[in-house]
Amino acid sequence: MGGKYRITGDKYPRMRRPRRRRSKLVLATISSVVALGLAGWGTLQLIDVFTGGDKTASAADRKANCPSAKPSAPAVALPKPEKIKVNVYNATPRGGLAKAAADELKKRGFTIGKVGNATAAYDKKVAGTGMLLGAPTAVNGTFPVLGTQLPGATTKTDARKSTDVDLIIGTKFKAFSTPQAASTALSALTKPSPAPSTC
C-alpha cells in the first residue's frame, strides 16, 4: 500500500480530526454572556424584593398621586362647660371639699347644681380621684368635657333621664387640673384625628 501512510504490522495509526479551537472559544463566550445576564437579572429581582420596588410606578409617582391626608372623622361637637350642669358630692372624710370643688368649677364656666355629701352607696367608697355619674348619653359628650378638669376620674352611667352629671369626689382627690392643662386637653378632644396614610 503506497502513499503517505503505510501499514506495517497489525496496528493502525489513529487518525484524529484537527481540533477546532475557534468553536470552543465561541461557545465559552456565549456561556459567559448568558451567565452574566442571568446574574444581572437575579440581582434586579433581589433588589425589588428587598426595596419593595414597583415596576409600574416610581416612589415619586406614587407620592404625586397620593391624595392629601384627610381627617378620619369630623370634629367632635362637645357641649360647652356652661351647658353642663354638675352636682358635686363629697365621698371623703374631709369637710367642705364639695363646696370648694363646686366653686372652682363655677369659675371655670360650669353650671353648678346640688352640692353636698355623697350618698351611702358612694360615701368613702370612691378610691380614685373621683367618679362621673350620669345618663348613657353623657359618655360621648359631658363626661369627656368634665373629665378634662379631673384626669383619672372613672365614669359610670345610671338610669336618669336628665342631662345633669354627678361629680363624686374620691379619696385621692387633691386638686383639679390647671385651667391651661384642661383647655389643652379639651382642644385635643375636639380636633379630628388624621386618617392613616395609605400611600
Side-chain angles (χ1 to χ4, degrees):
M1 191 171 174
K4 187 176 180 181
Y5 298 100
R6 288 173 179 257
I7 300 174
T8 56
D10 58 354
K11 293 185 179 179
Y12 299 92
R14 292 184 181 178
M15 296 184 184
R16 296 181 180 176
R17 293 181 182 178
R19 296 181 181 178
R20 297 181 180 178
R21 293 183 181 177
R22 185 177 296 173
S23 63
K24 288 187 178 181
L25 184 61
V26 170
L27 183 62
T29 303
I30 292 172
S31 299
S32 299
V33 170
V34 171
L36 287 173
L38 288 174
W41 180 79
T43 302
L44 288 175
Q45 294 300 315
L46 285 174
I47 290 172
D48 281 347
V49 167
F50 288 107
T51 60
D54 187 355
K55 295 179 182 178
T56 59
S58 65
D61 292 336
R62 289 196 301 272
K63 188 174 182 181
N65 295 331
C66 182
S68 58
K70 294 182 179 179
S72 58
V76 180
L78 295 173
K80 300 289 184 184
E82 60 268 18
K83 299 292 184 182
I84 300 174
K85 184 178 180 181
V86 186
N87 304 312
V88 185
Y89 299 109
N90 182 9
T92 74
R94 293 175 282 171
L97 199 55
K99 185 178 184 311
D103 291 343
E104 182 60 31
L105 288 176
K106 188 174 182 179
K107 289 178 187 177
R108 299 185 183 199
F110 290 89
T111 301
I112 304 301
K114 298 176 182 178
V115 178
N117 292 324
T119 61
Y122 297 103
D123 189 29
K124 300 179 184 63
K125 294 177 184 177
V126 179
T129 58
M131 175 186 289
L132 305 180
L133 183 64
T137 54
V139 172
N140 295 319
T142 308
F143 283 174
V145 176
L146 189 55
T148 60
Q149 309 298 320
L150 187 60
T154 59
T155 59
K156 185 178 179 181
T157 59
D158 56 17
R160 77 180 71 187
K161 302 296 181 183
S162 60
T163 58
D164 62 326
V165 177
D166 297 346
L167 169 58
I168 305 173
I169 300 172
T171 54
K172 290 185 179 178
F173 175 82
K174 292 181 180 179
F176 291 114
S177 59
T178 64
Q180 183 179 2
S183 178
T184 301
L186 185 59
S187 296
L189 287 175
T190 56
K191 287 182 181 177
S193 57
S197 175
T198 57
C199 299

